[in-house]
Amino acid sequence: MGSGESGTWRRTTPIYPVPPAVAVMRFLVVGGDARTHAIAATLHRAEAEVCVVSSNTNPGLERLAKASARIDPTDAPRVVDFARAQRVEAAIIGPEAPLAAGVADALRAVKIPTVGPGQAAAQIESSKWFCRELLRKHGVEGQPKFVVPASVEEVDRAISEFAGAPFVVKPSGLTAGKGVWVQGSDFADAKEGAVYAKSILLQGGTVLLEEKLEGEEFSLMAFVTDSGVYPMPAVQDFKRALEGNKGGNTGGMGSYSQRDHLLPFLSPADRDRALATMEKTAAALTTEGLSYRGILYGGFMLTAQGPLLLEYNARFGDPEGINVLTLYEEGDFAELLLGVATGRVDPNLVRFRRRATVVKYVVPPGYGDRPQVGGILELDPMAIETDGAHVFYGNVQEVGPSAVKLSHSRGIAIAGEASAIHEASARVEAALKSVKGNYYVRHDIGTKEDLARRTEHMRAILSPGAKPSPIPLSVAAPAAAPSSAASADELIG
């Protein structure tokens, strides 16, 4: 039974719709991107069975799935029908659109515990206006100055409140990481920014104007449920399409994490301040009567004033989720997610290996503005694994045993793991030799040069006038094996 036709289901047993009785946990995974492939792969390592709902046929997910369906992930009734037919015990939602559409609510309504907030709480991502107003109402610190013009006529007055300082224009709704315009990068002056802000309002949207922050961005994700907020390793994402942080915003070209779960420029104190903001946000949601059982992802800017919140996402980041999921190999991931979905997490299950990771996306040439669709990639997954890296499939179509066709979006993510960031980056570069075809990738992610530049940038902000100092580019003894289940002394809880 093929799974490429709309609404058809792939079967792994001759009997449908009732699957055989199983002793292992059975999870529904909603989504079809590389991040969702990483979620499913981590569940698979935990010996859980995976059933998949996605609008596309993801080669990596298809190889892992016990059953899959080509269903719009935002179509709650059909997602629920599939989940019930497959007798799943729990569910996790990968991308943001199904959360905004209320799919988590629909699954919970039929007693399927789900990792992912309901539609109302998911407004923390789907409505930037809701997020800022919630945090202002509850006095949550760490927010930049922002203004919300209610009409086209109010835009110019709102911009004047920044007194000539650069600002950022943000559509309030979901934009797949590509709608935010920053003065100096996406528009030149206040007049051009005003035109963009007004265009959003004229299309019926809501727009936020925020002060432009100077510093280094970082991502901090956490499992959030009734019993608390449980952080993951910090990650730095690369949004800009071109090397040197040039070009337009994308969904994310790659990311890295450090062995000690901090970043070269991020101190434990600043990480803890960001976490405190997330904990207060979770408390604010609870006070408002909005239950949150899922992933909360804080996008922060480390500034001279400390970490300030840029935005929240209500799910694993893409690609940042790939970094942290690569490090979770304890085999308890299914139990951890079930705890998130049902309200109580055993903190001993929130453990990640002390290793650095780098993720780089292989994308079609021109990705972001004018992607060249239809290019063929030939890859050798076994050789990539030998080079200390892993492949996660994104929006591609399988056209042969070792070949995929690129679409307009991100194709495959390659994740490298090592003792230090630049070593993990080198492993990805070695793995790229096993990917043939016409594609683009940001080679500068995780290199010594880029790490030094970012750390010096942050040092100059925090200690202006101080002499440059070398940074520790390796934080570990000689490299361990590329990837393996770790012993207890190689884990950080």
Side-chain angles (χ1 to χ4, degrees):
M1 291 287 181
S3 58
E5 299 176 11
S6 176
T8 59
W9 297 6
R10 182 174 65 80
R11 302 196 297 228
T12 57
T13 70
I15 301 174
Y16 173 79
V18 180
V22 292
V24 299
M25 197 175 301
R26 185 183 289 262
F27 258 85
L28 173 69
V29 176
V30 179
D33 51 27
R35 161 207 28 219
T36 309
H37 180 196
I39 293 170
T42 311
L43 282 167
H44 183 73
R45 288 201 302 271
E47 299 183 350
E49 290 188 345
V50 175
C51 301
V52 175
V53 163
S54 62
S55 57
N56 60 303
T57 304
N58 181 301
L61 285 167
E62 289 300 303
R63 290 176 189 135
L64 295 174
K66 288 292 182 179
S68 68
R70 295 293 75 75
I71 293 173
D72 180 349
T74 65
D75 189 338
R78 295 183 68 200
V79 172
V80 168
D81 286 347
F82 176 76
R84 297 181 74 178
Q86 295 302 316
R87 293 182 178 177
V88 301
E89 298 169 77
I92 178 168
I93 297 173
E96 60 272 25
L99 295 171
V103 173
D105 299 294
L107 288 165
R108 291 191 181 101
V110 295
K111 310 300 183 185
I112 298 175
T114 300
V115 178
Q119 186 177 47
Q123 290 181 95
I124 201 78
E125 175 174 8
S126 63
S127 172
K128 293 181 178 65
W129 173 84
F130 167 87
C131 176
R132 289 297 186 202
E133 289 299 325
L134 172 77
L135 302 183
R136 178 159 60 184
K137 176 181 177 181
H138 291 272
V140 179
E141 301 97 352
Q143 312 305 312
K145 177 181 178 180
F146 73 98
V147 185
V148 184
S151 66
V152 170
E153 290 73 25
E154 290 186 21
V155 169
D156 292 328
R157 179 198 58 78
I159 290 175
S160 70
E161 294 192 25
F162 294 97
F167 62 95
V168 179
V169 182
K170 294 184 175 182
S172 178
L174 299 176
T175 61
K178 303 172 187 176
V180 176
W181 278 26
V182 180
Q183 187 171 351
S185 299
D186 302 293
F187 63 92
D189 52 30
K191 182 177 180 180
E192 189 177 348
V195 171
Y196 179 49
K198 291 173 183 178
S199 72
I200 296 168
L201 289 165
L202 289 171
Q203 294 172 38
T206 302
V207 67
L208 283 74
L209 307 177
E210 297 183 359
E211 65 174 310
K212 180 183 178 182
L213 302 176
E214 179 66 21
E216 287 290 331
E217 291 189 39
F218 68 95
S219 305
L220 186 62
M221 293 173 284
F223 301 100
V224 177
T225 193
D226 306 2
S227 61
V229 177
Y230 307 90
M232 305 180 214
V235 185
Q236 184 167 46
D237 180 28
F238 289 66
K239 286 288 187 188
R240 296 289 171 177
L242 306 178
E243 294 193 5
N245 272 357
K246 298 178 181 179
N249 265 336
T250 70
M253 295 297 295
S255 47
Y256 70 81
S257 70
Q258 187 166 273
R259 184 179 187 268
D260 59 1
H261 300 178
L262 299 170
L263 294 167
F265 54 83
L266 181 66
S267 69
D270 283 326
R271 186 270 316 278
D272 291 346
R273 288 176 66 181
L275 178 59
T277 297
M278 296 175 68
E279 291 171 335
K280 292 173 183 176
T281 300
L285 288 164
T286 299
T287 300
E288 293 292 321
L290 299 175
S291 174
Y292 200 104
R293 294 179 176 179
I295 313 301
L296 184 62
Y297 161 146
F300 292 90
M301 181 75 81
L302 182 58
T303 72
Q305 292 75 46
L308 300 180
L309 180 73
L310 295 172
E311 64 180 7
Y312 277 126
N313 293 325
R315 35 69 188 184
F316 277 113
D318 185 359
E320 301 97 321
I322 299 173
N323 295 84
V324 298
L325 289 165
T326 297
L327 295 175
Y328 193 98
E329 291 205 46
E330 275 293 275
D332 297 321
F333 192 60
E335 185 179 350
L336 170 61
L337 291 187
L338 183 62
V340 174
T342 55
R344 184 157 297 278
V345 165
D346 178 355
N348 293 319
L349 300 179
V350 187
R351 304 180 76 192
F352 298 88
R353 291 200 311 285
R354 290 187 295 190
R355 303 280 280 158
T357 64
V358 168
V359 173
K360 300 185 185 185
Y361 257 113
V362 173
V363 302
Y367 169 64
D369 296 323
R370 298 180 181 84
Q372 298 176 22
V373 177
I376 303 297
L377 296 182
E378 295 183 358
L379 60 156
D380 186 342
M382 292 298 294
I384 291 172
E385 291 283 339
T386 300
D387 285 322
H390 315 283
V391 178
F392 298 101
Y393 292 87
N395 198 344
V396 294
Q397 177 186 349
E398 192 167 34
V399 293
S402 300
V404 296
K405 180 188 293 186
L406 290 168
S407 71
H408 64 283
S409 189
R410 293 175 291 180
I412 61 172
I414 298 182
E417 179 184 336
S419 292
I421 297 166
H422 69 278
E423 294 167 349
S425 179
R427 283 188 164 144
V428 175
E429 291 298 314
L432 284 169
K433 296 176 182 177
S434 298
V435 181
K436 309 298 182 183
N438 187 24
Y439 62 83
Y440 177 74
V441 67
R442 276 193 62 171
H443 297 288
D444 61 337
I445 297 172
T447 61
K448 289 183 179 181
E449 294 76 15
D450 186 74
L451 295 171
R453 183 185 64 78
R454 291 173 181 275
T455 304
E456 177 59 21
H457 177 220
M458 202 66 244
R459 184 209 59 75
I461 291 173
L462 297 177
S463 303
K467 293 182 179 180
S469 59
I471 63 169
L473 289 173
S474 184
V475 293
S483 175
S484 62
S487 59
D489 62 352
E490 295 177 296
L491 296 161
I492 294 179

